[in-house]
Amino acid sequence: MDVHILGGLSVREGGMSITPTAAAPRQVLALLTAFAGQVVPVTVLTEELWPSGAPRGARTELATHIAELRALIARALHASEGGDAPAGWTEERTADAVLVSLPGGYRLDTGVGAHDIGQFERAAGAGYRAMDAGDLARASMRLGEALSLWRGDPYAGVAAGPCLRREIERLETARLSVLDQWVEAQLGLGRHEEILSELPGLAARYATNEPLQAHLMVALLRCGRHEEALAVYERLRSVLHRETGMEPSARLRRLQHSVLAVRHTRVGAGGPTPRTEVPAAAFGPAYATTAAVAAAPVTTVTAAARGEGTPPVIWYGPAVPRVPGQPQGGRADTALKGVAVAV
């Protein structure tokens, strides 16, 4: 069974779609795919369908939706050589064996087909490990692979109840984390000019995401566009103040001061310019943004403007985040441990 979630729900068995068009069974299938291979309790399914309270006869209606899904699965199995078992199955594959009834709930066994969330998490995990090892080229490649799996918003076109909304939020948070690290790897590889074609759009979409705004400021700084880098900070400050009543974090303020210092040295007298650094001890343990990328430890990142006479700027960016479900491994206790990326 092939499951695609990252940009609309598409579930296919043997190449044939089993995604229902009706809203309620589609929602049930979406929740079952979110926890494929796990038992989803009836209580969770009923809460998803009726968040304000299940009506009388809710379990009967849920059973009807399950029966509709099994009919679609059975039709697809019949069309694909009569439901012969694929690799990994020890007996004939039937609709009841794919969508299993268990005490208290249901489990969707997707078999050995493709699942884009699993592909995303594997590629992201490989990218994070490469970042940890300082292999920026591999990190850029694997994180880019993870991002390329996204065709749009997760579960687009599916009515989302409380459980699916939490899953969508988790996936969006993971996507932002991968995006942040991919941009950081690109900067570390000296690709600031290349990513400036898309980074402003990303920063505009996630207007309150401090890591992305910081990356944009660094990329602009490295291209000698100091006024634009300062304008990014002012836009962030305005949006944060309007939406949250808060100021940018101390990290962003220090980056702004660094940009001001670089601009000052660029317009000053000729000759060698002093080194401008932001000390590591000045930064707190984590970002706390309204884009749900919070409580991440700190990775040391060096942002050195490469223009002639431009002093280097030390920027301490967000730490390597983890795909939800992976152990943290005590990273929060090593606030300044990480790879130094020359930007």
Side-chain angles (χ1 to χ4, degrees), residues 43 57 61 84 101 242 297 330:
T43 53
E61 187 172 340
D84 290 341
S101 294
R242 182 176 66 250

Side-chain angles (χ1 to χ4, degrees), residues 2 6 24 39 64 84 87 95 101 111 122 126 150 163 171 180 183 200 224 244 257 293 300 305 328 338 341:
D2 296 326
L6 305 177
V39 178
T64 300
D84 290 341
S101 294
R122 285 191 294 274
W150 287 70
C163 191
L171 291 170
D180 165 47
V183 173
T244 69
H257 295 159
V293 183
T300 305
Q328 293 294 323
V341 181

Side-chain angles (χ1 to χ4, degrees), residues 2-341:
D2 296 326
V3 179
H4 297 282
I5 287 167
L6 305 177
L9 179 66
S10 173
V11 185
R12 305 183 75 85
E13 175 62 51
M16 184 174 178
S17 175
I18 63 167
T19 310
T21 56
R26 188 182 186 90
Q27 191 174 0
V28 171
L29 179 62
L31 193 57
L32 290 170
T33 59
F35 301 97
Q38 305 176 45
V39 178
V40 181
V42 169
T43 53
V44 172
L45 287 163
T46 54
E47 181 186 8
E48 176 70 22
L49 290 170
W50 300 283
S52 299
R56 180 175 297 179
R59 288 182 177 247
T60 301
E61 187 172 340
L62 174 60
T64 300
H65 299 324
I66 295 292
E68 182 177 343
L69 292 174
R70 283 191 177 130
L72 290 169
I73 295 169
R75 190 178 306 130
L77 290 172
H78 179 76
S80 60
E81 301 180 14
D84 290 341
W89 286 76
T90 59
E91 56 186 20
E92 182 183 3
R93 197 173 191 203
T94 65
D96 288 339
V98 174
L99 181 46
V100 185
S101 294
L102 294 163
Y106 300 94
R107 184 184 69 228
L108 182 67
D109 288 334
T110 57
V112 295
H115 197 307
D116 59 358
I117 290 182
Q119 294 171 324
F120 168 76
E121 292 181 343
R122 285 191 294 274
Y128 293 147
R129 290 190 293 274
M131 286 291 283
D132 279 340
D135 188 347
L136 298 182
R138 179 171 176 77
S140 173
M141 179 183 69
R142 296 311 305 271
L143 294 170
E145 289 175 6
L147 292 172
S148 70
L149 292 165
W150 287 70
R151 299 167 290 111
D153 295 330
Y155 293 104
V158 177
C163 191
L164 270 182
R165 283 197 296 269
R166 288 191 295 270
E167 178 65 6
I168 291 169
E169 182 179 352
R170 182 189 76 84
L171 291 170
E172 288 286 7
T173 300
R175 181 188 192 182
L176 269 174
S177 296
V178 171
L179 179 61
D180 165 47
Q181 290 294 283
W182 177 79
V183 173
E184 188 169 305
Q186 296 295 93
L187 288 172
L189 291 167
R191 298 171 181 168
H192 46 282
E193 293 183 351
E194 293 94 321
I195 64 171
L196 272 179
S197 63
E198 54 186 307
L199 193 50
L202 292 170
R205 178 177 179 181
Y206 302 105
T208 57
N209 182 277
E210 289 196 354
L212 283 179
Q213 309 306 317
H215 290 325
L216 178 55
M217 290 176 68
V218 169
L220 290 167
L221 175 62
R222 287 177 55 176
C223 292
R225 295 158 63 176
H226 311 112
E227 298 301 330
E228 292 175 68
L230 293 171
V232 171
Y233 176 85
E234 291 302 326
R235 284 196 300 270
L236 172 65
R237 184 173 181 271
S238 176
V239 171
L240 284 177
H241 190 267
R242 182 176 66 250
E243 295 189 5
T244 69
M246 299 175 64
E247 292 288 323
S249 69
R251 291 163 176 258
L252 266 293
R253 294 197 298 273
R254 286 179 172 83
L255 179 58
Q256 182 215 24
H257 295 159
S258 295
V259 176
L260 288 169
V262 171
R263 183 184 66 171
H264 176 72
T265 57
R266 294 283 290 187
V267 300
T273 53
R275 181 179 177 86
T276 303
E277 294 189 0
V278 179
F283 293 96
Y287 274 109
T289 76
T290 57
V293 183
V298 180
T299 297
T300 305
V301 180
T302 305
R306 300 193 187 281
E308 182 180 352
T310 304
V313 178
I314 307 302
W315 170 248
Y316 297 92
V320 178
R322 297 301 181 195
V323 174
Q326 289 187 324
Q328 293 294 323
R331 296 265 307 185
D333 298 329
T334 55
L336 295 177
K337 182 179 179 181
V339 294
V341 181

